[in-house]
Amino acid sequence: MKSLYSRLVIACAVLLSVLLTGLGIVLGQFFPLFAEDSDLLLQRQYWFFLILTLAIAFVLSLFIATRMMIQYARPIDDMTKIATQIAHGDYLARVQTSELEYDNDLAKAINKIASNLQEMSTMQAMEKERLKTLIESMGSGLLMFGRGGTVNLLNEVFEKTFGLSKNEVVGKTFKDIGLPIAIENLIEDVFMKEQVRAEQVKIDSSDHQSYMSVYGAPVIGIHGNWLGIVVVIHDITELVRLEEVRKDFVANVSHELRTPVTSIKGFTETLLDGAMDEPVILKEFLEIIQKESDRLHLLIDDLLELSGIEREGFSLTYAAVNVKEMIDDAMRIVSRGMEQKKMRIVAEVPEDLIIEADAGRLIQVMVNLLSNAINYSKEKTTVTVTVTSFMNEVVMTVRDQGIGIEQSELPRLFERFYRVDRARSRDSGGTGLGLAIVKHLVEIHGGRVEVESKLGVGTTFCIHLPILHNK
Ligand code: ADP
């Protein structure tokens, strides 16, 4: 810029000096006019001519200088402004090349730099956004410590897991955050040994217990320099709980199977050891063996049933079901047991209530509930079945006047193999899986089961089902 302005000034000076030299020549011509004896009129004419020439020269040089300024200096000024804007991060600024007569290449180069920078910053913003989304949606808690050993990054999952906010954590060392001691130890270990560490930790808080899978690793830059450490924490409480449930289930199944098998084995051995020679004992033992194998059979059937229902891909066969007919079918199935205990069923079911459901599975649900009502009631009592419908829901209730269930037992009632009274359930031929099957079947119908009970008064099971199946 400076050199350009000086070039302009020099150009003006040269022009002026050319004009003044010309003026000198003219002056030389007229010089004798300055003598004392010279003509006064001529002298005046000379001065007028001189001043006029000077004025013309001034206006001319001013005009030329201004033109040159417009052509050279102003576009450069504009480009300087745009370049400054770009330098300050406004990558959308552009030089208007169409307005330029020349210096187009410089303008194009500035525009190219701006568009490259704009592209780079867009890419960078995209990368940053992608990384942020990844960090926030990874489903695990993330914590990063910088080279100085303080936290410089964490995600929302981490905040939620430990109930800490970003402000409370960023800039602090791992000792100051207030993490569970097991996690603190792991982080310390990664800092000290600069090695990857993965561990499952159990965290006891005042109201519950949780399990976390913690992974800590040093962050090494591309040139092998140590940049800090990263810690990924995943809540595996639900996984551990499911694993416990699975272990319990295997233990329960083994136990349930072992009891009848031990019994069958024992009685068979006793018979083979000579007891079979006594016809009375033989009959009695064979009856026990038959009863135990029936129980074994029932248990295996229920287990297969439950695993079938729980298997992925299990589906119901939906059709229009007349609720009254379905309940009549279920009552027919349990009628023998009813008669044996001289019990009575009262059914209050609307005649023409039709719902969309799997009839076979609903009969199974009702049979399980009615069988329980019979098994856990005294003789000559009444079981009441009522069905009501409201809006888009049907409610089926099975109420007995049986032994009832303690309030504290109700939350676990639908668990597999959970029994209030193990001996009684076994005597009545129960497998401990009936209510688990009921719950599953009702839930895959999109419904829910509720239970109310009073010890010594009776129990009521309520099944809520949608009238129409939501596909
Ligand atoms: P079970 O085969 O032992 O009957 P269920 O899963 O059907 O298994 O029921 C679980 C437990 O719930 C039973 O062992 C019993 O203790 C209790 N129970 C179920 N229904 C009733 C009822 N109508 N009255 C009292 N107790 C019941």
Side-chain angles (χ1 to χ4, degrees):
M1 273 299 286
K2 262 185 185 164
S3 67
L4 189 82
Y5 282 127
S6 51
R7 259 159 56 198
L8 285 174
V9 172
I10 290 165
C12 290
V14 167
L15 196 71
L16 263 175
S17 47
V18 167
L19 284 169
L20 287 174
T21 313
L23 192 69
I25 295 164
V26 176
L27 250 176
Q29 297 278 329
F30 288 96
F31 200 69
L33 291 175
F34 290 107
E36 274 178 26
D37 57 343
S38 64
D39 185 352
L40 206 67
L41 185 74
L42 221 61
Q43 264 184 16
R44 274 201 196 123
Q45 278 177 347
Y46 168 73
W47 280 115
F48 172 75
F49 180 74
L50 188 66
I51 290 166
L52 189 74
T53 314
L54 270 172
I56 290 169
F58 180 73
V59 170
L60 211 65
S61 60
L62 207 67
F63 174 74
I64 292 168
T66 310
R67 279 288 305 160
M68 287 174 88
M69 284 287 279
I70 288 170
Q71 276 187 339
Y72 287 100
R74 199 191 282 162
I76 302 253
D77 254 0
D78 290 347
M79 283 190 260
T80 311
K81 263 187 219 148
I82 298 290
T84 315
Q85 261 174 275
I86 295 167
H88 284 110
D90 178 7
Y91 303 138
L92 291 172
R94 293 287 184 278
V95 180
Q96 296 300 323
T97 47
S98 57
E99 287 176 8
L100 298 174
E101 284 172 33
Y102 39 87
D103 259 339
N104 236 342
D105 287 347
L106 178 60
K108 278 181 191 160
I110 290 176
N111 286 351
K112 184 79 191 145
I113 291 170
S115 75
N116 284 350
L117 284 172
Q118 187 189 353
E119 211 170 291
M120 270 164 63
S121 89
T122 313
M123 293 274 284
Q124 216 175 27
M126 265 168 60
E127 282 297 322
K128 213 173 151 186
E129 196 53 41
R130 211 175 290 168
L131 194 70
K132 195 172 165 234
T133 315
L134 182 86
I135 286 170
E136 289 304 341
S137 58
M138 63 193 277
S140 302
L142 180 95
L143 192 62
M144 259 188 95
F145 293 88
R147 230 180 299 205
T150 55
V151 176
N152 56 17
L153 185 83
L154 65 148
N155 67 359
E156 232 178 273
V157 182
F158 180 89
E159 289 180 79
K160 277 194 192 138
T161 311
F162 296 99
L164 294 162
S165 72
K166 275 196 175 73
N167 295 342
E168 290 173 283
V169 180
V170 172
K172 292 203 175 151
T173 67
F174 71 95
K175 291 258 185 215
D176 305 325
I177 302 172
L179 288 170
I181 194 79
I183 299 180
E184 263 187 20
N185 290 343
L186 183 138
I187 296 173
E188 186 167 24
D189 223 41
V190 179
F191 266 120
M192 305 278 275
K193 298 181 186 156
E194 291 186 22
Q195 272 174 5
V196 173
R197 275 208 54 191
E199 214 173 88
Q200 250 187 41
V201 299
K202 186 169 140 195
I203 297 162
D204 288 305
S205 65
S206 54
D207 54 342
H208 74 291
Q209 225 174 35
S210 54
Y211 293 85
M212 306 271 171
S213 159
V214 188
Y215 173 89
V219 181
I220 310 292
I222 40 170
H223 303 297
N225 46 332
W226 189 84
L227 299 175
I229 75 160
V230 62
V231 182
V232 180
I233 300 170
H234 195 71
D235 190 340
I236 51 162
T237 313
E238 186 56 18
L239 273 177
V240 172
R241 193 191 67 79
L242 287 176
E243 181 59 16
E244 287 298 318
V245 170
R246 194 192 63 79
K247 281 186 194 157
D248 282 356
F249 181 68
V250 173
N252 279 327
V253 171
S254 318
H255 179 78
E256 294 292 330
L257 289 173
R258 200 179 57 189
T259 318
V261 169
T262 311
S263 176
I264 292 169
K265 189 170 178 283
F267 283 105
T268 318
E269 279 170 4
T270 318
L271 287 177
L272 288 174
D273 282 349
M276 59 192 273
D277 298 333
E278 299 261 348
V280 183
I281 295 179
L282 177 66
K283 187 169 179 286
E284 189 191 332
F285 280 18
L286 283 176
E287 275 170 3
I288 296 172
I289 290 170
Q290 189 188 25
K291 198 176 156 210
E292 291 298 317
S293 41
D294 278 350
R295 202 144 70 86
L296 206 56
H297 187 233
L298 205 68
L299 180 68
I300 291 166
D301 270 359
D302 272 2
L303 277 172
L304 286 173
E305 182 66 35
L306 196 62
S307 78
I309 298 168
E310 283 181 340
R311 190 169 303 142
E312 217 177 308
F314 172 83
S315 64
L316 299 169
T317 315
Y318 280 96
V321 178
N322 182 312
V323 178
K324 181 153 178 29
E325 284 172 17
M326 180 272 290
I327 288 178
D328 284 346
D329 285 346
M331 284 178 0
R332 219 166 290 128
I333 294 170
V334 298
S335 60
R336 227 180 115 222
M338 254 309 140
E339 281 157 21
Q340 276 171 359
K341 289 185 86 170
K342 299 185 185 73
M343 287 174 70
R344 203 164 68 92
I345 292 196
V346 176
E348 294 160 11
V349 187
E351 290 286 336
D352 49 3
L353 181 59
I354 308 281
I355 64 167
E356 234 183 317
D358 186 326
R361 295 301 182 177
L362 284 193
I363 293 176
Q364 201 179 351
V365 167
M366 289 313 283
V367 167
N368 278 354
L369 293 182
L370 290 171
S371 307
N372 279 350
I374 298 166
N375 287 340
Y376 302 104
S377 294
K378 290 198 194 85
E379 288 189 352
K380 295 179 187 160
T381 51
T382 304
V383 176
T384 315
V385 179
T386 34
V387 176
T388 50
S389 64
F390 180 69
M391 305 270 276
N392 51 358
E393 194 179 72
V394 59
V395 184
M396 302 192 275
T397 319
V398 178
R399 184 183 307 123
D400 64 46
Q401 298 171 328
I403 57 171
I405 306 161
E406 199 97 54
Q407 284 299 307
S408 58
E409 308 274 359
L410 293 180
R412 298 197 60 191
L413 211 61
F414 295 94
E415 283 177 22
R416 293 178 283 194
F417 296 115
Y418 188 78
R419 288 139 161 160
V420 178
D421 183 342
R422 194 164 280 273
R424 188 177 184 130
S425 159
R426 196 161 284 139
D427 282 350
S428 65
T431 58
L433 295 172
L435 287 181
I437 293 174
V438 166
K439 186 168 184 274
H440 262 286
L441 286 177
V442 171
E443 281 177 358
I444 49 176
H445 267 94
R448 64 181 199 281
V449 197
E450 285 165 3
V451 57
E452 277 173 26
S453 191
K454 202 160 181 207
L455 214 56
V457 177
T459 307
T460 307
F461 283 93
C462 253
I463 291 172
H464 298 253
L465 283 179
I467 291 182
L468 291 177
H469 163 52
N470 296 320
K471 277 153 202 139

